[in-house]
Amino acid sequence: MNELAVVDLTDPGFWSNPYPVLAGARSRHPLARGVDGSLIALSFDAVEWVLRDPRFLTTDLLAPRGITEGPIAEWWGQVMFSANPPEHTRLRRLVSRAFTPRAVESLRPRVAQITEDSLDSFHGPTADLVAEFAHELPIRVMAAMLGVPSGDHHRFAAWTADLGLVFSSVHTPELLDRLEAAINGLNQYVAELIADRRAQPGDDMLSGLIAAEADGDALSEAELVAMVENLLFAGHDTTRSMLMIGAALLLSHPDQRALLSNDPSLAAQAVDEILRYEAPVLGSGRDAAEPFDLFGVPVAAGETVTTMSLAANRDPDAFDDPDRFDIRRPGGKLMSFGQGIHYCLGAALARLEGQVAFPMLLARFPGMELAAEPAWVPYASIRRFEQLIVTID
Ligand code: HEM
């Protein structure tokens, strides 16, 4: 086997076009190393292996940064992202009872209404699709899902947006203050929502979570609050990223845009291709529970391996012509929602949002054009542009 390549994630240039670097490294070996020597899984097979092998456990994002107590650590300790079996299995089983395909599908008319309201608010000769389209939609969908009254949307949206700060690659004191304020605010707010819903159950997902029960087990009050916050931060920045990236991809590929505009039944394939071609989430971290060899490379107990969806999604051994954006691909195969036991719980909801929103955006503004090539924000592991300015005909 060839020696592992080094992939430099500290280079801002990597973030503006990671694919040539990743392709070069992946052609040498399914794994590479970061500049700190840590392992990175690149090929589709290697990423799948790491995410499915039970010898890999979740990575603690906070302890290495000295955050071991207080509201942030307590909150993080209860979310599914950080849980391992058997605790993870228990939480996931209970939440899956509320997050059924039927419950997700029932949100379709609301998603269409929210999209329409957001498109109605475009007034200028130009618009910023990050602020005016991608940011609002996922928050409002989750507010609808949890039955948050519209008068509270503003507070709720601000807290939800701040939860994503936990994934920031640098945790400054100001940023931690904002994160803690969001957690404290949401802890109280969500507890009140739960109390209301206990008194008056509805047909929303929160009522479903409260009622969820399996083998005489149910979520405790603290787990319910943490679960709702888990859904909020897991579902916001990620879906926002998909919406801005998808809009940019469609507007910069006129042939693909025309295909989808002329045939909205391609929406499901188009969304999967958007997610494959530009994965919203860079990847995940896993820690080895014991020493073993991974694709011929020794891994020590406790060593972290980062999986890179971006590289897996463009692996020529897994996809024909992987660098071509083609919404007619069959769909279904992609690494953007992860794999294995932590596979994205909200994948169906995210797909639904894209399948509704992209065709509506194109139909409503057939003359919309990119005003400038959007710039990727460096070091954002949930990938994004600061702005996506378009002209509206
Ligand atoms: C395009 C949008 C989305 C993308 C790209 C995405 C991506 C991911 C990925 C890669 C994981 C696996 C993380 C890991 O293995 O460590 C994950 C897990 C998760 N996602 Fe999503 N997600 C999206 C939308 C959503 C939405 C809308 C929700 C809920 C409302 C959601 C809820 C979750 C939850 C709860 C988990 C943790 C599952 C577990 O640990 O068992 N996601 N997501």
Side-chain angles (χ1 to χ4, degrees):
M1 278 276 187
N2 294 323
E3 209 183 308
L4 305 194
V6 172
V7 172
D8 185 0
L9 298 180
T10 66
D11 171 9
F14 171 84
W15 297 84
S16 51
N17 184 11
Y19 297 108
V21 173
L22 294 176
R26 194 188 43 225
S27 68
R28 281 164 73 168
H29 195 284
L31 307 176
R33 290 201 186 273
V35 281
D36 59 357
S38 66
L39 282 170
I40 303 176
L42 297 178
S43 71
F44 196 90
D45 283 354
V47 170
E48 185 166 43
W49 187 281
V50 172
L51 294 178
R52 287 187 176 276
D53 187 329
R55 293 173 298 180
F56 279 110
L57 303 177
T58 54
T59 297
D60 189 343
L61 279 182
L62 301 178
R65 295 166 183 177
I67 306 169
T68 52
E69 52 184 25
I72 300 176
E74 272 167 38
W75 163 68
W76 188 249
Q78 298 207 50
V79 303
M80 282 196 300
F81 274 108
S82 64
N84 288 299
E87 189 49 22
H88 176 267
T89 322
R90 179 185 158 255
L91 292 173
R92 178 94 189 196
R93 191 166 49 156
L94 286 167
V95 72
S96 301
R97 303 245 153 168
F99 229 92
T100 58
R102 220 179 96 217
V104 171
E105 190 51 40
S106 72
L107 288 165
R108 188 179 285 273
R110 285 291 291 143
V111 174
Q113 185 59 53
I114 293 168
T115 308
E116 194 161 312
D117 291 349
S118 123
L119 299 179
D120 278 348
S121 68
F122 286 23
H123 288 310
T126 63
D128 173 10
L129 293 188
V130 171
E132 295 171 53
F133 171 70
H135 185 75
E136 282 295 309
L137 184 62
I139 292 193
R140 296 197 49 204
V141 170
M142 282 188 293
M145 192 172 99
L146 298 170
V148 173
S150 55
D152 293 342
H153 274 176
H154 194 66
R155 285 195 297 163
F156 176 78
W159 288 325
T160 300
D162 279 353
L163 282 186
L165 295 172
V166 72
F167 289 118
S168 174
S169 32
V170 182
H171 283 156
T172 60
E174 297 76 45
L175 186 148
L176 289 174
D177 283 350
R178 259 172 69 196
L179 176 57
E180 196 167 316
I183 292 170
N184 288 334
L186 274 172
N187 279 348
Q188 197 185 341
Y189 184 78
V190 172
E192 284 165 19
L193 270 186
I194 291 170
D196 284 354
R197 218 49 46 78
R198 276 198 203 283
Q200 255 186 326
D203 59 1
D204 53 290
M205 206 162 294
L206 181 57
S207 301
L209 271 180
I210 293 170
E213 200 191 73
D215 305 327
D217 188 16
L219 295 171
S220 71
E221 189 71 21
E223 284 170 344
L224 264 174
V225 173
M227 184 62 79
V228 169
E229 291 167 9
N230 190 162
L231 297 177
L232 292 179
F233 84 82
H236 177 245
D237 291 6
T238 48
T239 312
R240 181 176 72 154
S241 167
M242 172 192 73
L243 292 171
M244 66 178 90
I245 291 174
L249 279 174
L250 291 167
L251 295 179
S252 60
H253 290 80
D255 56 330
Q256 303 296 310
R257 171 187 183 163
L259 279 172
L260 181 58
S261 299
N262 295 333
D263 182 3
S265 76
L266 283 172
Q269 281 159 259
V271 168
D272 275 21
E273 178 65 350
I274 287 165
L275 289 162
R276 181 198 71 84
Y277 190 77
E278 291 290 4
V281 182
L282 187 71
S284 305
R286 292 290 187 271
D287 290 354
E290 56 187 84
F292 56 89
D293 273 9
L294 181 67
F295 291 82
V297 178
V299 180
E303 191 172 340
T304 302
V305 179
T306 304
T307 62
M308 190 101 50
S309 321
L310 249 63
N313 280 344
R314 300 277 193 112
D315 183 346
D317 289 339
F319 301 96
D320 287 339
D321 203 358
D323 294 322
R324 188 161 46 90
F325 177 60
D326 180 358
I327 67 165
R328 284 162 306 183
R329 271 182 213 274
K333 184 172 180 179
L334 68 172
M335 198 52 82
S336 310
F337 291 121
Q339 288 267 323
I341 62 168
H342 293 278
Y343 179 79
C344 178
L345 179 76
L349 177 59
R351 282 178 159 133
L352 173 74
E353 290 183 47
Q355 290 164 14
V356 170
F358 292 126
M360 285 180 75
L361 178 75
L362 298 183
R364 183 70 171 270
F365 300 107
M368 181 177 277
E369 298 288 348
L370 286 179
E373 198 55 42
W376 292 103
V377 173
Y379 315 121
S381 52
I382 299 181
R383 302 173 69 228
R384 63 191 171 91
F385 317 121
E386 212 64 79
Q387 293 186 314
L388 181 62
I389 308 293
V390 293
T391 54
I392 301 168
D393 194 1

